[in-house]
Amino acid sequence: MEISGKTRVCGIIGDPVEHSLSPAMHNAAFQELNLDFVYVVFRVRKDELREAIVGAKSLAIRGLNVTMPHKNAVMKYLDEIESTARAIGAVNTILNDKGRLIGYDTDGIGALKALEENGISLNGKKLLLLGAGGAGKAIAFHGAQEVEELKILNRTTQKAKDLAEVLRKKFGKKIDGNSLSAKTMKKELEDTDILVNATSVGMHPKDDQSLVDASWLRPDLCVMDIVYNPIETKLAKDAKSVGAKVVSGVEMLVYQGAASFEIWTDHPAPVKVMRQAILRKLSELGVHH
Ligand SMILES: NC(=O)c1ccc[n+]([C@@H]2O[C@H](COP(=O)([O-])OP(=O)(O)OC[C@H]3O[C@@H](n4cnc5c(N)ncnc54)[C@H](OP(=O)(O)O)[C@@H]3O)[C@@H](O)[C@H]2O)c1
């Protein structure tokens, strides 16, 4: 890739951020489409966030991804925030549109697209969502618009209940929050179509953990685990072994990146190339199935 005087810069801000998979994914996509763009990593400390955003504007940086710990704090420095991102209270993508900074959240979009592209439609379905953290909330907001019924279970029960109440009021559907106990999970799974794990349980180094007992899974269930390290979590393995349809966290990662890419470039994202770049990077980092 040749950097020219016209090269447009995108990047990611966060702390820590040096292990991000996004540079590999986006630079591969820019190259594939021959776009004069480059994607870099900016470590930004909490107390320097405002300066970083003001600086990004002055430097005419085209787009930014935003990761921990800035997803919420960054909102106050933007000129405009897309309505669902505002409702979620998180921004993971910024577009610099001729000096106006616009915030989006592509995590929820990415999760839904990952399901859809893998043949799983949420329309008219019952979704059981484990986790009401940042990613869980984004998935809940986008999922609630599609599903017939949504159950949110979270370790901190009140967070699930509060989120369900907001969504119920907004969408007027059957949406409830409850505790993440074995009893509730087992009961809810009996008549769920789609199960999404949006907690960090099962993430490396605790690869052998799953919230869901393998005996509760059925062949007619669709399961997505948003954890992508390991690529195939214990939950995903258990679901596969009973014949359930499984979507990996890598798919969500790819589609949230694809949504950001399209916001910045106005080109359809080369999803296949982005997936390959992620898998290559994960393998270099020693992350396997
Ligand atoms: N594939 C992707 O594109 C993608 C995107 C974003 C995130 N992720 C992954 O998703 C996971 C969650 O990320 P996040 O940003 O939502 O994090 P977060 O905001 O910190 O939320 C963590 C969630 O996990 C729950 N949790 C943590 N430890 C638990 C335990 N031992 N038992 C039960 N629940 C537990 C938390 O429950 P409490 O509320 O009770 O603390 C909360 O619901 C991470 O593994 C992250 O890498 C993947």
Side-chain angles (χ1 to χ4, degrees):
M1 180 199 314
E2 203 184 316
I3 308 283
S4 77
K6 289 184 185 158
T7 303
R8 307 189 89 178
V9 180
C10 292
I12 181 164
I13 57 168
D15 186 21
V17 72
E18 54 274 25
H19 297 300
S20 169
L21 302 168
S22 295
M25 171 168 62
H26 285 291
N27 286 318
F30 295 148
Q31 269 178 34
E32 174 69 14
L33 299 189
N34 256 319
L35 299 176
D36 193 6
F37 275 70
V38 67
Y39 188 104
V40 288
V41 166
F42 300 110
R43 181 177 171 204
V44 174
R45 289 187 178 81
K46 255 185 170 170
D47 58 357
E48 285 172 338
L49 180 60
R50 196 190 75 84
E51 287 84 346
I53 298 300
V54 172
K57 207 181 220 186
S58 312
L59 295 170
I61 284 175
R62 172 65 174 169
L64 288 173
N65 280 132
V66 183
T67 187
M68 302 300 272
H70 306 312
K71 283 185 171 188
N72 176 272
V74 79
M75 294 172 74
K76 59 179 170 290
Y77 305 123
L78 305 180
D79 299 303
E80 191 181 325
I81 294 165
E82 183 270 325
S83 62
T84 309
R86 180 174 295 286
I88 295 165
V91 157
N92 79 336
T93 300
I94 300 171
L95 170 71
N96 182 352
D97 184 19
K98 300 187 192 84
R100 269 185 75 70
L101 300 186
I102 309 169
Y104 301 85
D105 185 277
T106 67
D107 274 341
I109 296 170
L112 258 61
K113 190 90 174 152
L115 289 167
E116 199 182 286
E117 293 290 328
N118 283 280
I120 302 166
S121 153
L122 276 86
N123 208 279
K125 299 282 173 52
K126 183 172 173 188
L127 170 65
L128 178 62
L129 178 65
L130 311 182
K137 209 169 168 189
I139 295 170
F141 262 90
H142 285 269
Q145 301 174 42
E146 306 286 325
V147 295
E148 172 96 15
E149 228 181 290
L150 171 63
K151 257 297 155 43
I152 306 162
L153 309 183
N154 197 51
R155 178 178 61 180
T156 311
T157 310
Q158 199 54 45
K159 266 166 77 177
K161 291 197 174 200
D162 291 347
L163 177 58
E165 196 185 334
V166 169
L167 294 171
R168 201 166 47 238
K169 281 191 182 140
K170 197 171 165 74
F171 300 107
K173 294 187 181 175
K174 194 166 175 348
I175 301 174
D176 289 302
N178 210 337
S179 71
L180 192 59
S181 69
K183 199 176 152 205
T184 42
M185 260 189 292
K186 183 171 187 288
K187 183 179 154 284
E188 291 301 337
L189 269 167
E190 280 167 13
D191 72 329
T192 284
D193 304 301
I194 303 164
L195 167 69
V196 173
N197 175 45
T199 74
S200 46
V201 176
M203 192 166 87
H204 187 73
K206 297 182 175 170
D207 306 37
D208 58 341
Q209 292 190 356
S210 167
L211 290 166
V212 181
D213 193 285
S215 68
W216 307 338
L217 298 166
R218 311 179 312 266
D220 61 333
L221 199 65
C222 297
V223 178
M224 180 163 81
D225 196 332
I226 76 162
V227 171
Y228 55 81
N229 178 7
I231 297 168
E232 195 169 59
T233 59
K234 177 166 191 316
L235 171 61
K237 283 195 179 105
D238 289 345
K240 251 187 197 167
S241 72
V242 301
K245 187 157 195 168
V246 176
V247 179
S248 88
V250 170
E251 290 295 286
M252 173 172 161
L253 198 58
V254 168
Y255 284 104
Q256 63 78 28
S260 301
F261 180 94
E262 291 175 0
I263 287 169
W264 300 326
T265 67
D266 280 327
H267 284 271
V271 171
K272 207 170 147 191
V273 166
M274 294 172 88
R275 183 183 295 107
Q276 279 167 353
I278 290 276
L279 291 172
R280 202 179 317 117
K281 196 72 202 168
L282 284 171
S283 153
E284 275 170 33
L285 294 171
V287 178
H288 300 288
H289 279 81

